[in-house]
Structures are given as C-alpha cells and as structure tokens.
Amino acid sequence: MLGLFGVVLSFAGPQARAEGSELAKEELACLSCHDKVEPGKKLENGEILSLAISTKAYVESMHKETSCEDCHSDIDAKTHGKKITPIKSKRDFTLSMRESCRACHKKNFTQYEDSVHAALIKDGSKEAPLCSDCHNPHTVRSTKTVEPITATPCANCHENIFKAYAKDVHGLARIANGKTAPLCADCHKAHNVQAASLGSGVKDACLSCHENAVDQHKDWLPNASRHFEAISCPVCHAPTAQRRVNLRLYDNVAMKQISEKAGVPQFEKRTQAADTKDLGLNERALWSLLKEFNQDGGEGKTVLRGRLEVLSGVDAHQLSEKSKAIRDCKTCHQKGAEPFQSVTLTIAGPDGRPIRHVVQQEVLTSLLATESVRGFYAIGSTRIKLLDTLLIMVMLGAVSVPIGHMTIKRLFKSVREKLAAERIAARSETDGQDSTHHRRTDDDASKNSRS
Amino acid sequence: MQKLYINPLPVRIWHWTNAFGFVLLIATGLQIRYLDLIQLVSFRTAVVAHNWIGFVLIANFFVWLGFYLFTDKIKVYHPELSPMKYFRASFRQMQFYGYGIFKGDPNPHHPSAYRKFNALQSMMYQIIMMLLVPLQFFTGVLLWDVSRFSAMVEMFGGVRVVDTVHVLLFILFSGFIIVHVYLASLGHTPSAHFKAMITGYEEIEEEPKHGTSS
C-alpha cells in the first residue's frame, strides 16, 4: 500500500517537502493530498468530514513520529481515494477511531474509561467527549508548549464555566503568569475527570497546591478540620456564589458515597414516591426514604452526609483573591443564613453525575430530622426550633417560681406575723406558768419550812 | 447565734469559679446559638471564650472531686441508705418550701459540718455533679473538636444528637442557676447562705427551748 504513497510523493509540491522534511516518505505521500483545502467527505447524515491535515501542524505535533498507517490501518492503498467508504456521522467516525488511541495511550485510556465522560458515552450520550474531541490527532502538542487558556478543549463544552474561570483568581493568574496557576486539568484531571460535586477530589486538588491551607485556617477558624470536611472551598472563596446544603446518601460501611445502580433507578422512584406533591422532601419523607435504602443493606448502612457547597459549576469558578474570601462567621452561623435556604438530596448517578431531589429547608431545624441529618449541623443556622421553645419555657418557669414563691410569702406575711406573735405569746405564757409554778413551789417550800 | 464552718476554702473557690464560669458559659453559649439576637462580642471570640472557660471548669471540677475524694468531707454527699427515712426527709423539705415557709415554720433541716445538704439538695447535687455536669463537659469536649472525636460523636448518634444533649443541659443549667440563687436567699436571712459561701461560716439560729423560730 505504501508503495503507492512513494509514487505519489514524487508529485508532492516544494512547500510540503520543505515543511515535511522531518517526515517519512509514507507520511509525506499522505500529506501530499491531505494538505490541501478540500471540500471534505460528505457523510451519510449530511455532515462534511474535513480530510485536510496541515503538514506544518503535523510536523509540530506530538504525532510526527507516528505513521499515518499506525492509526489508519484500515485504509487499503489500492482502493483509497477510489472507492467510497460509507461513514454514518462524524461521531461514528470518531468512535471508530478510539481503539487507535488506546493502542499507544493505554494508561490515559484506562483513566478515561473511569471518567464521567466515558460513563456518559456508555449511557448513550452524543455530546460527551471522545479522545479526538479534545486532542486533534493531527495537531496535538505537548501540554508543556500549549498556550494557556485559549487552547483548552474543555471550554468547547463547558463554555460558561470556562468564562467564569477566565475571570477568577486562577484564570487571571494563568493568563498573567502561565503555568504557575492551574488550568482545568490541574484540578479536574485530564482523563479520569469526575463530577466535581461528588467525592472530595476537587478539594484534594486545592490542597495539593495550597498545602498549608488547613494549618492556616486553624490559626483563626475554630473546628477548622470539621469546616474542611463539611464545606467545599468555593463556599468561602467564591464570595459572590450561591450556596446550598447537599445531603449525600452515604454508605457508612463501605465509607463511600452511594451510587445508583445502572438500570435500577431506585433513587428517582423512591424520592418521587415520597414527594408526590413535588414540594420537596420533608423530615418524615426523608426518614422513610432512608429506611427504604437501609432495607437494601442493613440498618445504619445508609446515612446522610451533609455538605455545604456552591450551587453550580459557574459559581465554583468565581474564586476570588484570598483577602476577599468570607471570614465572617455570621454568613453561616445565624438563623436564616443564606447557605441553608436551599437543601438537596444527592446520589451518584450511574453515569457518574449526581442525581438530586429537593429537600424542604425546614428539615434542617426539625427535631424529627435529628436522626436523618445527624451528621450535619451548623451552630445557629440549623438549630432545632423546638429547643428554642423549650429554653423560653424553662426560663419563664425558672423566673416564675421565685416570683410566685416570693409573692405568696408576701401575701402570707400577716399570717406569719400573727402566728409568730401567737407563738411568742404562747411561749411567754408557758414561761410565765413555769415561773409561777416555780414561785409556787418556792412558796410551798418556804411554807413547809416555816410550818 | 452559733457559727458553723460549713464550706471549706477549696469548696468556696470551686463554687465561685464554677458559678462565674457557668454564667460566662451561658452568656457565650447564648451568643453562639442566637447570633441573630445577641452580638456582644464576635462569634469567633464567643466560641474561643466558650471553649477556654469550658476547659477551666473541667479542671475546676477535678478540684471539687479531688477535695471530696481525699477528705472526710465526702460524708456530705453520702446518700441516706434508708429509702423510707430519705423519702420522709425529702417530703418534709418539700412541705417546708411549699407550705411551712409561708407560715414561718422552721427549716426542718439542721445543717452540720458533715450534713450540710438537706435531702433534696443531696439528691439534686449528686445528679448534677456526678451525671449532668460531667455529661455537659463531655459533650462540650466532643463539640470542641468534632473531627478529632468523630468516631465517638458518631457512636453517640452524630453531631446533631451530641449538640442537642449539650443544649438540653444548657437549658437545664440556665433554669437551675436562677432557682438556685433564689433558694440560696431562703436562709434565716436573705444573705445568710451567700455569706456562708464567702466566709465559710454558716450562722445557725439557736432554737428556742419550746416551739419554733419566726
């Protein structure tokens, strides 16, 4: 097959030859045709698949050492360009090319297969990215030389998040200082990307750069470790973000967040059954829901782990300067605090993304939910209302008892004085009788002595 | 008027440290829980102060415990082993506070160096000092560092349960302190018991040969 390419090479133009001097003859043969502006290949679904490959870009790419045949081994030189090979769609073609990537990039491919992107594809997604959606195989360059920000493929799908990032403290630092500041993959990883609102992967990413963050917080933040466990970093470091309480279904035995099994949509079925009016789960519904989940794996296995987080990916990418981060405890630790006005129940979906159901905000302050949300408590803002009532009643009682007792004592003052006077009178009478008796005895004695 | 040395110095030091400490704990606790209503100091200051005062009072508790364990004064806490006798004494004491005191009857309890508590006090203080106060300190320490004691917090039903117990006891102690101060004013003069806890000496009224005092 490649013999034919050798013949074709002799007809390649002078420019291609100069640019392609580092390439093997076979590659130059391919590029002699493909390095042209051409109309592209019309696919079955009507899409046009571009066949153009810039020799210049290819020479500068990471794949310059790779021969065309390494990836396009299915091409038969005898029929190539003569016989039309039908391709359904661009997506179908990209999917069919994945195995070529796996052949060389085994490690990255395995990581990718664990990612939320791969899970979405397994779930039938037509949008989730495949290898070549992020890495153009004919122009792919080392991440060490890629221009920051503008060349980031994540922005193609996560446009709003990327725009927010580009203006936040990390994005601005990346533009100003280059690689010292993080780009998407530095926090979310390039291949085994996970949903940021599941697990604690992103927090670990923050701490991998901000190594002393925990100690620095301990200097001024009481119970700093607990804050780190229960609060995601952007909650304080994205001061303009909207926040909410995320109650995660958690396996207390396996010590991990519970995932919905593929093909068995229990979470949605159960939450919808428990919330028929679609008002959000109340404390009773939440309790019975937990009981149902516990039936699957034993009492106490399924618990709720509460976490304070920002509402969306855009909110999470509005990180500010350290000096602007929230340090005022009042933001969270008082009645009616904004972060506690929105509550959601979450399970990890089979496609790796969270599935949510709204929970009524009152659950956080209800005595009946003490067991259900036992692992989540923020002083002041999620205080149990009934205890407030009890405090008022006890205080009223504690003040009423002395006041009532004193009042009765005062009312009885005259009775007390009268009784006291009677007692004194009775005593003095008794004393008088005693003295009379003594006097009489003395008189009798003197009489007797006289007689 | 007879004077009886009823409150030894370590007991008085413990008592007043405990009293001021509890008032401060209640004040800072109120601010921590009701920041929307009370803002005397910053939330953080209230939390830090609450923690420190808590630890001082835990140490102070051991002053009290040590004093009673290592001296014969422990007798003041010895329970009455005859339930009938104890019940009668309690009933007499309740009858006094609920009825007799209005008529000017004498207090049925006559304190001595080794029997300074009446039947009701004896029961109350044993419950408070050996159960409720240690439980409050224990829950307080767990809440001081929830992460460090996470296994124990989980064992007791989670941070919400631990906090609920802490708050329930806080409510109880807040009520207790008010009633305690009032009951302390019911000596033979309103200031008699307060003076006794400052000087150590309780003035005992000499009873008339017959009948009662006013």
Side-chain angles (χ1 to χ4, degrees), chain B residues 124-154:
Chain B
M124 279 300 292
Y125 288 144
Q126 281 189 44
I127 294 171
I128 288 171
M129 291 307 293
M130 295 317 296
L131 181 71
L132 303 184
V133 166
L135 189 59
Q136 187 69 331
F137 289 153
F138 180 68
T139 52
V141 169
L142 293 187
L143 293 170
W144 163 67
D145 196 337
V146 184
S147 299
R148 188 189 302 241
F149 302 111
S150 59
M152 207 165 275
V153 169
E154 194 56 31

Side-chain angles (χ1 to χ4, degrees), chain A residues 97-129:
Chain A
M97 291 305 294
R98 275 201 302 173
E99 290 307 309
S100 305
C101 307
R102 190 208 293 268
C104 295
H105 303 283
K106 284 192 178 71
K107 191 180 161 196
N108 286 346
F109 200 92
T110 309
Q111 286 181 348
Y112 167 79
E113 282 191 311
D114 283 338
S115 74
V116 66
H117 290 153
L120 283 168
I121 287 162
K122 276 182 204 155
D123 207 39
S125 167
K126 303 282 182 203
E127 284 87 34

Side-chain angles (χ1 to χ4, degrees), chain A residues 74-251:
Chain A
D74 56 326
I75 291 175
D76 185 350
K78 289 174 190 165
T79 56
H80 185 60
K82 294 168 191 164
K83 187 182 161 191
I84 294 169
T85 314
I87 297 172
K88 279 186 192 168
S89 63
K90 280 186 183 175
R91 181 79 177 174
D92 216 44
F93 179 67
T94 317
L95 270 167
S96 71
M97 291 305 294
R98 275 201 302 173
E99 290 307 309
S100 305
C101 307
R102 190 208 293 268
C104 295
H105 303 283
K106 284 192 178 71
K107 191 180 161 196
N108 286 346
F109 200 92
T110 309
Q111 286 181 348
Y112 167 79
E113 282 191 311
D114 283 338
S115 74
V116 66
H117 290 153
L120 283 168
I121 287 162
K122 276 182 204 155
D123 207 39
S125 167
K126 303 282 182 203
E127 284 87 34
L130 296 154
C131 310
S132 59
D133 291 322
C134 299
H135 312 285
N136 183 327
H138 305 114
T139 61
V140 65
R141 294 177 68 187
S142 163
T143 51
K144 288 172 190 158
T145 55
V146 167
E147 276 298 306
I149 284 200
T150 48
T152 307
C154 311
N156 298 338
C157 296
H158 304 282
E159 193 186 350
N160 291 336
I161 291 176
F162 191 79
K163 278 182 186 166
Y165 157 80
K167 288 181 201 161
D168 88 350
V169 69
H170 286 150
L172 293 173
R174 181 81 184 194
I175 293 164
N177 307 321
K179 286 186 174 293
T180 53
L183 194 62
C184 314
D186 292 315
C187 302
H188 299 280
K189 296 179 184 170
H191 296 105
N192 53 342
V193 183
Q194 303 296 332
S197 60
L198 298 174
S200 61
V202 177
K203 179 171 288 171
D204 295 342
C206 300
L207 296 177
S208 69
C209 288
H210 303 281
E211 288 167 351
N212 299 324
V214 179
D215 288 335
Q216 283 171 345
H217 283 79
K218 276 181 183 169
D219 287 345
W220 65 274
L221 181 65
N223 249 324
S225 307
R226 179 61 183 160
H227 281 91
F228 269 81
E229 281 167 12
I231 301 171
S232 76
C233 304
V235 165
C236 303
H237 289 274
T240 54
Q242 280 187 290
R243 301 165 191 87
R244 73 164 158 220
V245 175
N246 182 10
L247 300 172
R248 293 166 160 184
L249 278 164
Y250 190 83
D251 187 330

Side-chain angles (χ1 to χ4, degrees), chain B:
Chain B
M1 193 77 70
Q2 189 193 341
K3 276 191 169 183
L4 202 62
Y5 191 58
I6 213 161
N7 297 314
L9 184 64
V11 173
R12 281 177 281 149
I13 292 172
W14 161 78
H15 176 271
W16 289 114
T17 309
N18 211 41
F20 285 117
F22 261 79
V23 170
L24 289 173
L25 280 180
I26 288 170
T28 49
L30 277 170
Q31 156 141 13
I32 291 167
R33 191 171 166 82
Y34 300 103
L35 191 64
D36 44 312
L37 304 173
I38 309 160
Q39 287 188 34
L40 298 173
V41 290
S42 75
F43 181 84
R44 186 181 168 274
T45 309
V47 170
V48 172
H50 195 81
N51 290 342
W52 277 107
I53 299 162
F55 282 117
V56 169
L57 288 202
I58 290 172
N60 194 40
F61 174 80
F62 287 102
V63 170
W64 171 85
L65 192 66
F67 174 78
Y68 279 111
L69 282 181
F70 297 110
T71 66
D72 64 348
K73 297 286 180 190
I74 186 106
K75 284 178 188 168
V76 301
Y77 281 99
H78 280 181
E80 173 55 63
L81 293 175
S82 161
M84 209 55 205
K85 211 171 162 187
Y86 178 76
F87 175 75
R88 277 204 196 110
S90 300
F91 184 73
R92 268 203 304 273
Q93 204 61 40
M94 281 193 278
Q95 201 181 30
F96 168 70
Y97 285 125
Y99 180 64
I101 195 168
F102 303 128
K103 295 197 306 161
D105 286 352
N107 192 324
H109 175 69
H110 305 291
S112 66
Y114 292 102
R115 275 190 71 237
K116 68 173 179 175
F117 297 137
N118 65 44
L120 294 177
Q121 282 176 313
S122 156
M123 179 184 67
M124 279 300 292
Y125 288 144
Q126 281 189 44
I127 294 171
I128 288 171
M129 291 307 293
M130 295 317 296
L131 181 71
L132 303 184
V133 166
L135 189 59
Q136 187 69 331
F137 289 153
F138 180 68
T139 52
V141 169
L142 293 187
L143 293 170
W144 163 67
D145 196 337
V146 184
S147 299
R148 188 189 302 241
F149 302 111
S150 59
M152 207 165 275
V153 169
E154 194 56 31
M155 201 175 87
F156 285 98
V159 64
R160 193 169 276 261
V161 173
V162 174
D163 186 83
T164 301
V165 172
H166 197 73
V167 171
L168 278 172
L169 289 171
F170 145 77
I171 293 170
L172 196 79
F173 287 132
S174 302
F176 168 81
I177 282 193
I178 296 172
V179 176
H180 178 71
V181 170
Y182 177 68
L183 286 173
S185 74
L186 297 181
H188 70 274
T189 66
S191 63
H193 291 327
F194 293 100
K195 280 182 188 162
M197 199 39 97
I198 294 166
T199 63
Y201 289 93
E202 180 89 47
E203 288 179 346
I204 308 293
E205 267 201 322
E206 284 171 41
E207 288 199 25
K209 285 175 196 166
H210 310 284
T212 58
S213 64
S214 56

Side-chain angles (χ1 to χ4, degrees), chain A residues 21-34:
Chain A
S21 58
E22 291 176 49
L23 297 174
K25 288 177 184 173
E26 289 82 358
E27 275 67 66
L28 287 170
C30 300
L31 288 168
S32 65
C33 290
H34 285 280

Side-chain angles (χ1 to χ4, degrees), chain A residues 281-416:
Chain A
L281 297 164
N282 61 21
E283 56 266 43
R284 285 176 200 280
L286 203 59
W287 187 75
S288 57
L289 196 74
L290 269 178
K291 218 171 173 188
E292 276 184 73
F293 272 98
N294 270 316
Q295 277 172 357
D296 303 339
E299 195 60 39
K301 188 172 181 271
T302 303
V303 295
L304 290 178
R305 283 215 163 176
R307 185 171 178 263
L308 210 58
E309 59 183 31
V310 290
L311 204 61
S312 69
V314 172
D315 285 307
H317 293 85
Q318 294 173 342
L319 300 167
S320 71
E321 293 279 341
K322 189 173 153 188
S323 60
K324 289 179 187 159
I326 292 170
R327 279 176 73 109
D328 190 354
C329 312
K330 271 191 288 183
T331 311
C332 291
H333 290 290
Q334 62 176 327
K335 190 182 176 185
E338 174 267 328
F340 303 90
Q341 302 310 305
S342 167
V343 185
T344 182
L345 179 72
T346 310
I347 194 168
D351 63 1
R353 288 188 299 180
I355 307 173
R356 304 184 189 282
H357 194 94
V358 175
V359 177
Q360 290 178 17
Q361 180 264 330
E362 288 75 19
V363 160
L364 299 178
T365 54
S366 164
L367 184 72
L368 291 173
T370 304
E371 174 62 18
S372 311
V373 289
R374 62 190 207 159
F376 184 77
Y377 184 73
I379 292 170
S381 44
T382 67
R383 64 179 192 241
I384 294 167
K385 276 182 185 169
L386 202 67
L387 292 179
D388 299 349
T389 314
L390 187 68
L391 174 66
I392 294 167
M393 282 167 65
V394 169
M395 284 298 104
L396 285 175
V399 173
S400 305
V401 166
I403 292 174
H405 202 263
M406 270 192 294
T407 310
I408 299 170
K409 252 181 103 179
R410 191 155 289 181
L411 290 173
F412 272 72
K413 195 179 174 189
S414 56
V415 176
R416 208 160 43 244

